[in-house]
Amino acid sequence: MLDLEVVPERSLGNEQWEFTLGMPLAQAVAILQKHCRIIKNVQVLYSEQSPLSHDLILNLTQDGIKLLFDAFNQRLKVIEVYDLTKVKLKYCGVHFNSQAIAPTIEQIDQSFGATHPGVYNSAEQLFHLNFRGLSFSFQLDSWAETPKYEPNFAHGLASLQIPHGATVKRMYIYNGNSLQDTKAPLMPLSCFLGNVYAENVDVLRDGTGPSGLRLRLLTAGCAPGVLADAKMRVFERCVYFGDSCQDVLSTLGSPHKVFYKSEDKMKIHSPSPHKQVPSKCNDYFFNYFTLGVDILFDANTHKVKKFVLHTNYPGHYNFNIYHRCEFKIPLAVKRDSADSQTETCTTYSKWDSIQDLLGHPVEKPVVLHRSSSPNNTNPFGSTFCFGLQRMIFEVMQNNHIASVTLYGPARPSSQLRTSDLPQ
């Protein structure tokens, strides 16, 4: 049985690990994977057809705990303990729930002190006792005699005293004063762990298509010589097609991983693939997992030739490998009565809405099958790749965009730019 410390408006955890409000989904999953021998039987709950309409939930069934993540920013919004018989809980080092201590209203009052009277929810038949960043729910069924409840509207609230002996059915940890209105807080400094995160990514565009990325980055920096006074730093960086490997390293820092391509599965769709001379060396990716971005370099010139932006929707083969990239992509849209206009595609745009903006049907997609090996099947099914304005949109079966691949302008190998010439 887990023995956990409750910190209102902040966290639930112990000396080895801690689930903190505002924590990214990937970090919570990493904790569960590291302690898989202790925390078992974890479910991932999400809406397959409408992943943005419901919170993403990690359900620790063995321990009676749910971690609710915001569907949009994928940060921890609410920690719910829905079965207090499966876990020990303490506050300021003193247990208020264990096998020997029942979480009665008297025990809660003794451990947490006075608060406003309980608020009765007739639809749920629950009493809610609210502290800042912490709520306890008491169910009527747990009482021997159900009294008659007459809401007192003298102060505009259905405020009633909870009968003695009532025990807690659920506990919630959240940010702010209201569980109903709570939002996932900004990522705590303790969760940065030396990484850089992208607040948003703007795709830069020239006359023919995408030209690069402008990234608004977040990191936990320190003032010179003062390690204790860490604070969040915000800064912008730009990366362009044709930038060298050294340019990208100096702009974004070292990647989390370098991946060398072994084959090009899309080669068959290029003009005259049989005429292409096999390369003696492989193109390689810089994988920036916390930015949700991959950057592909040419094996011969070592310059940027492709960007890949990941949306990290549940139900996709690469889910939880990357953090969600909050991108904005300008699309050139031609109207019948006017010159071309610009519309914006975001991480949350659906493919049918993009087609409606374009006003004309896009060519038939290429079907993409992903699997870890030829003998394995992908439980999430295939995705569909649509080409548009030097970009490839990978679309899931629920019409959401899984990733966007940006290509640089094509140029003959004999053509040299000024930056290619020796100085």
Side-chain angles (χ1 to χ4, degrees), residues 57-364:
I57 300 173
L58 296 180
N59 184 14
L60 284 59
T61 57
Q62 179 180 277
D63 306 296
I65 299 171
K66 284 182 181 177
L67 306 176
L68 284 70
F69 294 83
D70 186 274
F72 287 85
N73 57 45
Q74 297 185 338
R75 295 195 302 269
L76 184 55
K77 183 171 73 172
V78 176
I79 302 170
E80 175 187 350
V81 181
Y82 62 87
D83 191 343
L84 278 76
T85 64
K86 295 181 177 180
V87 65
K88 296 179 182 178
L89 299 173
K90 56 188 176 182
Y91 176 64
C92 295
V94 179
H95 284 96
F96 65 90
N97 175 65
S98 67
Q99 293 170 320
I101 302 173
T104 61
I105 179 61
E106 292 82 10
Q107 182 63 51
I108 299 301
D109 183 63
Q110 179 181 340
S111 299
F112 294 90
T115 186
H116 299 288
V119 178
Y120 178 59
N121 186 318
S122 57
E124 299 177 342
Q125 290 194 329
L126 291 174
F127 268 111
H128 300 290
L129 191 64
N130 301 316
F131 299 83
R132 180 172 176 84
L134 183 68
S135 290
F136 296 95
S137 296
F138 301 82
Q139 192 170 31
L140 296 177
D141 297 343
S142 63
W143 301 334
E145 295 182 1
T146 305
K148 296 179 179 179
Y149 296 103
E150 297 178 358
N152 177 12
F153 293 100
H155 302 287
L157 294 173
S159 301
L160 299 165
Q161 296 292 338
I162 300 176
H164 294 287
T167 57
V168 177
K169 181 175 178 60
R170 293 191 184 96
M171 182 192 75
Y172 303 90
I173 302 173
Y174 53 92
N175 184 57
N177 286 314
S178 171
L179 176 61
Q180 288 71 31
D181 301 330
T182 190
K183 296 180 180 179
L186 296 176
M187 191 190 310
L189 295 177
S190 60
C191 291
F192 277 86
L193 303 176
N195 292 304
V196 177
Y197 292 84
E199 185 176 36
N200 54 64
V201 176
D202 293 325
V203 174
L204 304 176
R205 186 183 177 91
D206 56 20
T208 60
S211 61
L213 304 178
R214 180 173 60 236
L215 304 97
R216 182 176 172 85
L217 304 175
L218 306 174
T219 187
C222 300
V226 187
L227 295 177
D229 296 335
K231 60 181 180 179
M232 188 182 297
R233 289 182 54 218
V234 183
F235 53 96
E236 285 191 355
R237 294 288 186 269
C238 292
V239 184
Y240 299 94
F241 289 110
D243 280 358
S244 68
C245 174
Q246 290 81 0
D247 291 334
V248 174
L249 285 171
S250 63
T251 302
L252 300 180
S254 299
H256 294 92
K257 187 178 179 180
V258 179
F259 175 76
Y260 289 86
K261 289 181 65 175
S262 58
E263 58 179 330
D264 188 357
K265 294 181 179 179
M266 304 298 284
K267 179 181 177 181
I268 193 172
H269 298 284
S270 61
S272 304
H274 59 282
K275 295 181 181 179
Q276 296 183 5
V277 179
S279 176
K280 294 182 180 180
C281 47
N282 297 326
D283 294 347
Y284 54 95
F285 281 101
F286 276 8
N287 304 126
Y288 291 94
F289 297 130
T290 57
L291 305 183
V293 175
D294 291 330
I295 303 176
L296 179 67
F297 293 90
D298 186 275
N300 297 310
T301 65
H302 301 286
K303 294 184 180 297
V304 176
K305 61 186 291 187
K306 185 192 300 185
F307 295 104
V308 185
L309 314 178
H310 299 271
T311 59
N312 196 43
Y313 276 107
H316 186 256
Y317 186 77
N318 287 335
F319 175 63
N320 200 51
I321 294 177
Y322 299 86
H323 289 250
R324 172 166 288 168
C325 179
E326 301 270 358
F327 60 72
K328 291 182 180 179
I329 303 174
L331 297 175
V333 179
K334 292 184 178 180
R335 307 291 186 188
D336 295 335
S337 59
D339 296 334
S340 62
Q341 300 176 351
T342 300
E343 298 286 350
T344 302
C345 165
T346 72
T347 307
Y348 309 108
S349 299
K350 284 193 167 185
W351 181 245
D352 55 0
S353 65
I354 295 174
Q355 286 187 308
D356 292 341
L357 287 174
L358 296 173
H360 59 81
V362 181
E363 294 182 2
K364 289 185 178 181

